[in-house]
Amino acid sequence: MERRQLLLFLLILGTAFWGVSYSVTKMAIGAYSLNVFLFYRFLLAVAVLSFIFWKYVKDINREAVKTGFILAVPMFLGIQLQTVGLKYTDASQCSFIAGLTVIIIPLLKLAVYKTNASLKIWIAALTALTGLFIIAIQDKFTINFGDLFTIAGAFAFAIYLIAVEKHSATKNLLYSNVPMFAFCALFTFLIALTDSSSEWFPQNNTFWMGVMYCALFSTAFMYTVSNISQRYLSAERVAVIYLFEPVFGAIGAFFILGENLTWRLLLGGTLIFAGTIISEVNFKTERLKLFVRKS
């Protein structure tokens, strides 16, 4: 298996972890402070990644810390805002709005860097977003308080992915991974200190199981794979792959929360998969192969 295909597989696996984390987070937070939850999530991720990538951690320099801070700000905002949104918006609605990242990225690149994505990426993004819309749209699609937070989080994630793409082109981001999560832990800790509802040691196993799951799988694993993959995959392609998240989210909700699997999931999931394939296939190469076979 080539490196790109392996990273593609790992990214899709990571979106499965992310999708399930919607249900896990809802169950874990309950009436507890989301900032305390996020603090422990980031702190555990720092501990685990420091152990796994110790050869990089011991050689961290000022530049790696600076890059970690630059990446931490939009990532923290994205997670923070969408976690707040999740408290006020149902999971499918939140998933749909979060998926707007796939459209926001090429628009931001066009506005800020004056660089336009290829037609193939636009088609892939719109195809996948259509699938996501089919999955998440309800009988009455409205924008509520939680939706506004989720929209803001989608913009933050778009900025994060663009920043990762920019820095991964010239740097090994494995040196910045631990500093990035450490800054996120610091940010959430400072916010939690101002939260009068903060309970630092909840006597609830679901809370701690949620912290462990989100720290290990949807944080340490997924963001590490994402940062590595963007040396080989563009931010637009990664964002399209992220649209698998609500598919796995619906499957996770079926098993964890007892929600039903619907025709929308099957049809929407097919379109998301088609969008991912469109973003990855080199049509010029495929046309050349077809021409050679015919000759």
Side-chain angles (χ1 to χ4, degrees), residues 125-200:
L126 291 173
T127 301
L129 196 60
T130 300
L132 190 55
F133 183 84
I134 290 172
I135 291 172
I137 193 68
Q138 302 300 307
D139 293 333
K140 292 182 179 180
F141 182 69
T142 57
I143 299 297
N144 60 35
F145 185 66
D147 295 339
L148 295 177
F149 279 100
T150 310
I151 291 171
F155 272 94
F157 272 123
I159 294 170
Y160 165 76
L161 289 174
I162 292 173
V164 169
E165 180 182 64
K166 176 183 176 182
H167 289 281
S168 64
T170 57
K171 304 168 187 174
N172 185 344
L173 293 185
L174 288 176
Y175 289 100
S176 299
N177 254 18
V178 170
M180 179 179 69
F181 289 121
F183 278 119
C184 288
L186 176 61
F187 297 155
T188 50
F189 175 72
L190 293 176
I191 294 176
L193 286 177
T194 66
D195 187 351
S196 59
S197 67
S198 293
E199 184 177 343
W200 293 97

Side-chain angles (χ1 to χ4, degrees), residues 3-218:
R3 180 176 294 174
R4 280 172 58 88
Q5 280 69 38
L6 175 61
L7 289 171
L8 183 64
F9 168 76
L10 291 176
L11 278 173
I12 294 175
L13 177 62
T15 62
F17 293 145
W18 263 358
V20 173
S21 72
Y22 277 94
S23 298
V24 171
T25 300
K26 267 188 172 293
M27 292 178 62
I29 293 179
Y32 298 107
S33 167
L34 67 89
N35 291 299
V36 172
F37 177 85
L38 291 176
F39 166 66
Y40 284 126
R41 169 182 171 174
F42 288 126
L43 187 64
L44 181 56
V46 169
V48 170
L49 290 175
S50 294
F51 176 78
I52 295 175
F53 296 110
W54 175 247
K55 72 174 184 177
Y56 296 100
V57 174
K58 65 184 178 64
D59 292 328
I60 288 176
N61 55 30
R62 181 178 297 180
E63 184 63 24
V65 173
K66 178 182 176 181
T67 301
F69 176 80
I70 292 172
L71 298 179
V73 172
M75 187 181 75
F76 158 74
L77 289 173
I79 293 177
Q80 175 78 16
L81 291 167
Q82 291 190 358
T83 303
V84 173
L86 194 59
K87 290 179 70 74
Y88 301 101
T89 304
D90 58 272
S92 60
Q93 189 88 340
C94 189
S95 295
F96 169 66
I97 297 172
L100 291 175
T101 298
V102 77
I103 295 298
I104 294 172
I105 286 176
L107 289 176
L108 282 179
K109 279 190 169 183
L110 182 61
V112 177
Y113 299 111
K114 309 302 180 184
T115 58
N116 195 8
S118 66
L119 178 62
K120 178 180 73 171
I121 291 296
W122 282 105
I123 294 174
L126 291 173
T127 301
L129 196 60
T130 300
L132 190 55
F133 183 84
I134 290 172
I135 291 172
I137 193 68
Q138 302 300 307
D139 293 333
K140 292 182 179 180
F141 182 69
T142 57
I143 299 297
N144 60 35
F145 185 66
D147 295 339
L148 295 177
F149 279 100
T150 310
I151 291 171
F155 272 94
F157 272 123
I159 294 170
Y160 165 76
L161 289 174
I162 292 173
V164 169
E165 180 182 64
K166 176 183 176 182
H167 289 281
S168 64
T170 57
K171 304 168 187 174
N172 185 344
L173 293 185
L174 288 176
Y175 289 100
S176 299
N177 254 18
V178 170
M180 179 179 69
F181 289 121
F183 278 119
C184 288
L186 176 61
F187 297 155
T188 50
F189 175 72
L190 293 176
I191 294 176
L193 286 177
T194 66
D195 187 351
S196 59
S197 67
S198 293
E199 184 177 343
W200 293 97
F201 301 102
Q203 300 300 309
N204 185 306
N205 289 335
T206 302
F207 178 90
W208 296 109
M209 291 294 290
V211 167
M212 291 180 62
Y213 176 87
C214 289
L216 297 177
F217 298 108
S218 58

